[in-house]
Amino acid sequence: MNADMIAAWAVENGFHAMNSGNYRRHDNAGVITIEIKRMSFLLIDERQGSRPRLISWLFKDISLTGGSGRLQGLLLDRNPHH
């Protein structure tokens, strides 16, 4: 995967561009922010009453075929007990 693919996935999944490389989505569970860096991205999952969950991946560690499925899994896996 690369930065353009992550950005496209974010927009397709309801994230709003805040500025270059930063996307945010609000839902009933809280706020998810994606920060796209030069060679990686950071996902910040913030819920009311819980500590933020930070997940960072290098682009090279996410395959082109399974990358979007992995990202989608993060959205589905919003268990407040993590």
Side-chain angles (χ1 to χ4, degrees):
M1 295 200 90
N2 61 38
D4 292 336
M5 295 171 81
I6 299 292
W9 178 90
V11 171
E12 289 172 8
N13 284 278
F15 287 80
H16 299 282
M18 298 181 52
N19 55 37
S20 179
N22 290 320
Y23 297 84
R24 183 167 286 162
R25 183 175 112 172
H26 298 265
D27 61 22
N28 292 337
V31 178
I32 300 176
T33 303
I34 296 174
E35 295 181 7
I36 301 173
K37 308 295 184 187
R38 185 170 172 238
M39 298 180 70
S40 65
F41 72 95
L42 175 66
L43 185 137
I44 305 165
D45 185 356
E46 301 174 273
R47 289 173 243 274
Q48 293 179 344
S50 296
R51 296 170 73 182
R53 182 171 66 144
L54 306 174
I55 301 168
S56 180
W57 273 322
L58 294 172
F59 295 136
K60 68 179 181 100
D61 292 340
I62 299 178
S63 69
L64 294 175
T65 56
S68 61
R70 262 182 139 172
L71 292 170
Q72 194 64 36
L74 292 173
L75 297 181
L76 298 174
D77 181 31
R78 294 199 71 194
N79 182 347
H81 301 294
H82 279 181

